[in-house]
Each structure stands twice: as C-alpha cells, then as structure tokens.
Amino acid sequence: MEYVNPLTGFRVDGRRPNEMRQLKAEVGVVARADGSALFEMGNTRVIAAVYGPREIQNKGQQVNNKEALVRCEYRMAEFSTGDRRRKPKGDRRSTEISLVIRQTMEASILTDLMPRSQIDIFVQVLQADGGTRSACINAATLALADAGIPMRDIVTSCSAGYLCSTPLLDLNYVEDSAGGPDVTVGILAKMDKVTLLQMDAKLPMDTFESVMGLAIEGCKAIATYIREVLLENTKRLEYQRG
Amino acid sequence: MRDLNLSLNQTQRVRLEAALHELQSLVPAAASAAAVTVADTIPVNQEDNILKYISLSQENTIKEDTISLFVCADGLVWCRGHGTSDQDGEVVATLCGVVERVNKLVYVRTLRARYKPEVGDIIVGRVIERRRTAVDELNMRSIFVENDVICVSTILALSVEVDNCFIFCFSDFKSVFAYVVVLTHADTLRVINHQAEVRGFQHDGSLHLQARSEKYGKVHASSATLPVTFNVQFPTSLDITGYATVPLYHYQSVPFYASNLAFMNCKNVLLQLERGQLLTVPPYLVKRKKQHFHHLAQYDVDLILGCNGFIWVGEHVLVGENVKTTEDQQKYEADNFTPLETRKHICRLANAIRVLSALGFTLTVELIIETAEASVSSNVEVNDMLGAEFYVQTAEREAKRRAALLRKKNGGR
C-alpha cells in the first residue's frame, strides 16, 4: 500500500511528510482535579487529570523521603478504538505506557520541592488514532502546569516514522499499523534535552537520525503551541479575577 | 466547582463574550505581559541597586521553597523566590502564573494551584478522618496529635459526638497554631484557634503536638466525659492568668469579641456555627484580608471566607451561648427551625458565590452582597440564579463595575 503518494507526495490523510496533525488543547476540563487538560492531535483525543501534591496514600510506595512520588496511570476508554477493548487498564501495553509517561514527567517535575507527597497523573485516551503515547505526555504536561506543580520545562512528545523511504511526522493509526518503524521522542522543549526515546522495528543509523530529528522538530512545534495555550489561560484567569 | 454547565443561547453567548472582552481590556497592558508559563525567562533588568533581602527560611526543619540569591549577568543581585529557578544564568519560571516583583524579589504567583497555607489564615474545613488527625490534603505535612484528644475531647466536653477530626496546622517557629475546624455529624461547624506545643518532629516529617499539663492544660484520654482543659492564649491586652486551666465548657463564658478586627490576631476563638452551606471555590479567588468572618446584619447571616477556598454561609450564631446537652439540643433544634426568610437569604448568597466563582471573579463580601441584591432587584428566582441569564448579567455588571472603578481611579488623579 502506498503510504506516500509518489506523484504528489501526500500521505493517506492528505498531509505532507513533515506536517503534523491539527493540535487542539483545553485546560481545566475536569472540575475536581487540581489540574486537567484535554489534548487532541488530529483524531487522537486524550484527557489528563492531575491530583497533587497530596499526602501519600500508601506509605509502602514511598521510596525516597526527600522527593515527591509521581504516579501515573494510563488507560484507554473502551470506545477509543475501532473494536471495543476488553481490558482497558490491566494489559501489558497500558502498564508499559504508564511507566513511560511516569518516567518522562518525573524528569521534569521538581520533585524535591515537595517531599513526602505524591502527585497522581491520570491519563485516559478517549479516541485513539495513533500517537496516543505522545498525546498523553502532552496532555499530562498541560495538566501539571494547570495544577501549579513546578516543572523544569515543558515536556512535549511526538512520533515519527519511516515509510516508503520518507520520514513521516506524526503517524496516525493507519501508518502506524503499516509495520514500519515508529520513533517516539519526548523532549524538554527549551532545555533541548531528550527524556523519552522509543522505537519499534528497525532502522539504519543515518535514517534514524533524520527521523529522530524530524520528531524533535515536531516536539518543538507542539511546545510552542502548548506555551501559547498556557499563557492564554493564565492571562484569562488573571483578568477575570480582577 | 469550575463550571455551572450552562447552555447559553446565541445572544447570551455574544453578550458574555462582550463582557469578558471588556474585562480584558480593562487590565493594564503591563499586567498581561507579566503572565508567564513554565520555562519562560523572567526578565530581570536593572532598576535600582538597592538590595533588600527577604528571608523565607525558618528555624524548623520543614522544607520550604527556598529563596536564593541570584546574580544576573550584569552583576546585580536579585532574590529569586517561589516558582523560579536558575538556568544558564537566567531566571526561568517553573510555574504558570504572574510574575510579581517586590523590591528585589522576583517570584511567580500561581492562579489555580492548590491552597498554600500561611500562618494566620482563617480556614474552614470538613472533617474527614478520626484517629490519625490532620490528614490534611492541603498541607502536605501531617500532624500527629497525642492521644488524638485535642479535637475529640473538646467536642465531647460539649456533649456533641464527633465522627472525624480535621486539624490544620502550620508552624511558626517553635509554636504551632492549629486552626481546628470541625464539622460534626450534626453539622455544627466549629472553629477553634488553639495553641499547642510542638513536641518534636517525627521521622516522616509529621509534627508531634501536645497540649501540656501546666501551661496548656492536660487532656484526658481515658474517660470520654471528662471535660478538657486547655489554656487559651489571649491577646496581650487581656490578662490570661485567670483562665489558665479552664474547662472547655467554661470557655464559652470567656469574654469574646466576635467582630473584633483583631480576630485574626486573637489566638483563641471558639465559634460555633450551625445550619448553613459549605461551598468550595478555587482558593485563589479568596484574598487574604483583615477580616474573614462577616456578619451580615441585614440578612442575619454569617459569612466566613476561608482562605482555602471553603466558604461558609449560614445562620448567624451568637457566641457565648449556653452549652446545650444532647437532649436539649434536639429539642432546641425541633423548636427553632431557621426562619424561611433567613434560609432564602442563605441560598441567595450561596448561589451568588457559585456564580461569581464560576466566572472567576475575586470574592469579596461587597461583591457577594451586591450580586445577591441584584438578583433580588431583577426578580430572579433563587434557583434561576444558577441559570444562564443571571450568569451573563453578572458578568456584564462586573464589567461595568470595574470600568467605573478604573475611571474613578484615573479621573481622581
């Protein structure tokens, strides 16, 4: 199947190879959470809720006395994919993604400012169309910023792949299930540091560099957008408050 | 609560947009430029060379967000406060909020974050757990009360049963002021401002409090019906010696200045409230003022704006009334229901608070009263106050009010 049209250069959904899907973010969607966000990358919609810093519920989980405990839970809604999912939470993929998101966010949160407390991040995928991992990380960043948890930097994430000899940015579900490599990169936007790097399938080294470079550019674009959204939100709250 | 789940029709939407737009235009440009998000560089430019060092460090071991000195590129010294960090020689924000500068201190004030307790705050709380005490979700430091008696016994002394105990504690050097707010199963709200001594710090950072015998009065855990004695410290203008070990039920006959402006400084306050509504608003909407307890005489209603965002609107209660035993209390309650008018006023005020917090306006007593009165004058039913029309009207009214205020301020100069 041709994922990139050789004549026009368009992908299956009409994008160019280095074009991202449309982004949309909304902050403060869950009323009871300390911070929450809804993030959309094309058809992938993800909602994140952050609770914290609050007292540690389970003393056994506390490893380090001097730092906050960051917990993350990723789940997909049963209706998020084409076929109704049977086990949205306990399966291996969800556990792995929860761990990945937790490690990514932990790299950015200034945990030593909040010792003996825990921060819970709950991410739920409402619509899955490829790139759910990235959307979850972006949503979690927004939610953490909304909750007022100090962070080193904005963490953004994007995926890129390599199909039909072209690096493609921001794969959707069709392209993702094509069997080609899928590189997911998460960076600290301003500090230019990589906190997450995952890939499945195989890639030769130089191609990998170009694909990863493309993904990092996508991350930076998302970071600009997220920054705008947060700034807008802060300004709005401030002028409404009076 | 964030949203009222309104469905606005087209004209209402347009009006709301217009009102919000007007509010936005009233804000001076410098203020909106001060908003900052995570990883934004905060500009520190030279203004004056006078360094004023504001110290936040305390003598106890509780970790605070420390202030540190930051030397910027041109050699000037700044103080970097909460919400900022040092990266590559630049001051970078770690939070989303508004940059505030006080002399040489630069910090970021967040908006929707969790409530950060400060000494001297009046807070209102709800009881959630009994034994362990002070499972305060707002304050990360948990407080361990010896024999979990302080809260429980006080209530028992008044013969009211208590299910839970919520102690909120912030420390100020050696002594700890616990603002104990208890909501019992009979829904009486009590605020006790009580000083306990810090006995030490547990290994996990919790504070060990104790009410000691000679100075503060001993607390009996064994028998549930014994009255509790503890010392309450009066402001220095009053003589405390006569009340050194006062059983709690005598406490209420102690002279008590209910509407004293020195309320917040007064370290012993026992206020028992009943019959009202407890509302939750985002904490940043409640500013710290001199007075948080308001008695609205025209409605006969008490309004307490807790700094943690919990607001109590209820029937007015006179302080220093007789203690009622349980049977008496039930009879009393059966005889004296709150009159309907008072209940309506309570509901109106509560709804006014809900609308204002959904719109994101700072809550002040005047604004709440004005909103409630506006609803009366425009003949809005109490339950319609949470509807779309009143929501939009309140936004418009607030826009006009702020514009008038700004005009007055600018014209007066």
Side-chain angles (χ1 to χ4, degrees):
Chain A
M1 185 184 160
E2 55 169 44
Y3 293 101
V4 181
N5 191 320
L7 290 171
T8 56
F10 287 141
R11 287 150 76 172
V12 270
D13 50 2
R15 286 185 284 154
R16 293 222 162 263
N18 59 349
E19 213 179 296
M20 274 194 68
R21 290 179 288 182
Q22 191 183 38
L23 299 173
K24 187 168 168 296
E26 206 179 309
V27 181
V29 287
V30 177
R32 286 207 61 101
D34 293 322
S36 56
L38 176 67
F39 196 81
E40 290 182 41
M41 283 169 82
N43 281 331
T44 304
R45 296 180 83 194
V46 156
I47 196 165
V50 166
Y51 293 87
R54 56 180 178 180
E55 215 206 341
I56 295 197
Q57 321 268 3
N58 189 358
K59 277 280 153 53
Q61 279 181 348
Q62 185 183 16
V63 171
N64 196 346
N65 215 7
K66 308 262 182 327
E67 288 186 347
L69 175 74
V70 178
R71 276 180 41 207
C72 179
E73 201 175 283
Y74 165 94
R75 68 179 284 157
M76 300 184 77
E78 285 87 342
F79 47 83
S80 60
T81 54
D83 297 321
R84 192 175 171 86
R85 286 181 78 84
R86 276 187 326 143
K87 238 179 113 180
K89 203 178 103 158
D91 62 335
R92 289 233 290 266
R93 181 176 171 269
S94 299
T95 328
E96 191 227 329
I97 298 185
S98 306
L99 184 68
V100 158
I101 299 179
R102 187 182 70 78
Q103 285 173 343
T104 317
M105 305 320 296
E106 211 171 5
S108 172
I109 299 177
L110 293 166
T111 44
D112 37 318
L113 288 180
M114 299 163 288
R116 292 181 295 274
S117 62
Q118 80 176 22
I119 299 171
D120 289 325
I121 308 171
F122 297 109
V123 202
Q124 180 159 35
V125 178
L126 300 174
Q127 249 176 248
D129 187 29
T132 54
R133 203 174 306 221
S134 310
C136 287
I137 292 175
N138 297 328
T141 305
L142 275 169
L144 284 168
D146 186 34
I149 294 178
M151 293 199 285
R152 269 186 206 100
D153 201 346
I154 297 181
V155 188
T156 49
S157 162
C158 193
S159 64
Y162 189 73
L163 288 170
C164 303
S165 320
T166 0
L168 302 175
L169 180 60
D170 198 10
L171 304 174
N172 59 15
Y173 182 71
V174 175
E175 291 163 348
D176 204 358
S177 44
D182 174 17
V183 178
T184 309
V185 177
I187 61 168
L188 293 176
K190 194 161 170 225
M191 290 165 66
D192 227 353
K193 295 194 175 166
V194 176
T195 56
L196 166 69
L197 183 55
Q198 276 190 315
M199 184 172 83
D200 43 9
K202 286 194 288 194
L203 264 188
M205 198 55 195
D206 37 0
T207 332
F208 172 73
E209 277 178 23
S210 63
V211 170
M212 183 173 153
L214 188 60
I216 291 183
E217 274 178 38
C219 292
K220 294 213 169 121
I222 300 181
T224 328
Y225 177 68
I226 284 185
R227 228 192 117 252
E228 270 173 31
V229 167
L230 286 175
L231 209 57
E232 188 58 46
N233 189 46
T234 309
K235 286 189 188 166
R236 188 180 56 87
L237 287 179
E238 185 61 19
Y239 78 69
Q240 270 185 349
R241 177 182 179 241
Chain B
M1 77 234 107
R2 301 287 295 283
D3 271 323
L4 287 180
N5 290 329
L6 301 166
S7 47
L8 308 167
N9 62 26
Q10 191 55 29
T11 41
Q12 285 170 338
R13 206 165 302 167
V14 168
R15 283 162 58 198
L16 184 65
E17 296 284 322
L20 291 178
H21 198 70
E22 191 177 335
L23 284 174
Q24 187 175 15
S25 59
L26 290 172
V27 173
S32 58
V36 83
T37 40
V38 180
D40 270 356
T41 319
I42 300 177
V44 284
N45 39 14
Q46 53 274 45
E47 263 140 32
D48 47 359
N49 279 332
I50 308 163
L51 169 68
K52 184 167 179 187
Y53 186 87
I54 300 170
S55 169
L56 265 195
S57 62
Q58 294 187 340
E59 287 168 13
N60 50 29
T61 56
I62 294 179
K63 193 158 191 180
E64 292 278 331
D65 207 351
T66 51
I67 263 195
S68 44
L69 290 175
F70 162 78
V71 185
C72 70
D74 31 11
L76 289 170
V77 187
W78 282 83
C79 276
R80 239 190 344 96
H82 181 59
T84 59
S85 84
D86 205 345
Q87 278 174 17
D88 303 328
E90 288 180 328
V91 179
V92 163
T94 57
L95 295 167
C96 276
V98 177
V99 175
E100 300 270 359
R101 294 168 211 267
V102 178
N103 295 331
K104 281 282 184 176
L105 173 67
V106 176
Y107 68 97
V108 178
R109 169 172 58 88
T110 49
L111 289 166
R112 271 206 65 239
R114 275 193 168 222
Y115 166 62
K116 274 204 101 127
E118 277 172 34
V119 177
D121 273 355
I122 290 281
I123 59 114
V124 175
R126 174 158 220 124
V127 172
I128 42 177
E129 203 184 65
R130 181 175 191 159
R131 293 231 78 218
R132 216 184 130 236
T133 68
V135 183
D136 168 28
E137 49 177 48
L138 309 169
N139 190 355
M140 290 170 289
R141 305 181 264 282
S142 62
I143 287 85
F144 173 79
V145 176
E146 193 173 63
N147 302 325
D148 71 283
V149 163
I150 289 185
C151 197
V152 172
S153 304
T154 57
I155 315 306
L156 286 177
L158 292 170
S159 311
V160 176
E161 242 189 320
V162 74
D163 296 275
N164 310 293
C165 194
F166 178 105
I167 301 187
F168 194 23
C169 225
F170 0 86
S171 72
D172 176 35
F173 296 89
K174 292 195 208 59
S175 57
V176 176
F177 298 101
Y179 290 79
V180 180
V181 180
V182 169
L183 204 65
T184 69
H185 80 294
D187 272 355
T188 55
L189 183 73
R190 186 162 315 164
V191 175
I192 304 169
N193 198 340
H194 157 73
Q195 185 172 14
E197 189 180 286
V198 175
R199 204 165 179 220
F201 295 93
Q202 308 275 57
H203 59 92
D204 60 354
S206 39
L207 291 168
H208 196 166
L209 286 188
Q210 195 189 12
R212 291 214 341 211
S213 52
E214 325 90 36
K215 204 171 168 213
Y216 299 104
K218 197 161 193 154
V219 199
H220 301 274
S222 51
S223 166
T225 56
L226 274 184
V228 174
T229 65
F230 52 78
N231 188 24
V232 282
Q233 186 171 346
F234 281 73
T236 51
S237 56
L238 290 178
D239 186 11
I240 69 167
T241 51
Y243 299 100
T245 51
V246 168
L248 193 61
Y249 53 78
H250 289 165
Y251 180 63
Q252 285 174 318
S253 60
V254 153
F256 170 78
Y257 304 91
S259 52
N260 195 351
L261 273 182
F263 209 87
M264 295 263 293
N265 302 324
C266 180
K267 295 191 180 71
N268 59 313
V269 166
L270 181 69
L271 189 65
Q272 182 174 356
L273 311 163
E274 325 177 294
R275 299 173 182 184
Q277 294 191 33
L278 183 66
L279 307 164
T280 322
V281 304
Y284 75 99
L285 293 178
V286 180
K287 283 197 175 153
R288 285 180 177 93
K289 298 242 164 88
K290 278 209 205 74
Q291 195 179 13
H292 286 252
F293 290 73
H294 304 271
H295 168 47
L296 307 175
Q298 69 268 37
Y299 302 126
D300 195 28
V301 161
D302 270 341
L303 175 68
I304 306 183
L305 298 167
C307 294
N308 57 342
F310 282 51
I311 298 182
W312 170 263
V313 186
E315 195 195 6
H316 177 57
V317 165
L318 294 165
V319 179
E321 267 182 3
N322 310 325
V323 183
K324 311 176 252 298
T325 61
T326 336
E327 316 87 53
D328 280 353
Q329 190 174 22
Q330 284 174 357
K331 195 165 83 72
Y332 176 74
E333 276 179 14
D335 288 340
N336 306 41
F337 279 129
T338 324
L340 186 62
E341 274 311 307
T342 319
R343 273 191 262 174
K344 273 195 184 160
H345 288 310
I346 292 177
C347 285
R348 273 197 195 273
L349 287 169
N351 281 349
I353 295 173
R354 286 188 180 102
V355 169
L356 290 173
S357 80
L359 282 168
F361 299 148
T362 312
L363 294 171
T364 55
V365 194
E366 299 86 23
L367 187 58
I368 298 171
I369 298 178
E370 200 186 301
T371 316
E373 274 170 11
S375 76
V376 172
S377 56
S378 40
N379 282 333
V380 177
E381 285 293 323
V382 182
N383 53 335
D384 283 340
M385 279 175 80
L386 297 179
E389 182 59 35
F390 189 68
Y391 185 80
V392 177
Q393 277 178 5
T394 313
E396 291 174 340
R397 207 176 20 250
E398 175 70 12
K400 282 202 207 78
R401 194 184 69 90
R402 284 198 205 159
L405 206 66
L406 194 67
R407 233 176 292 132
K408 206 166 47 166
K409 204 166 59 161
N410 288 337
R413 266 199 235 125

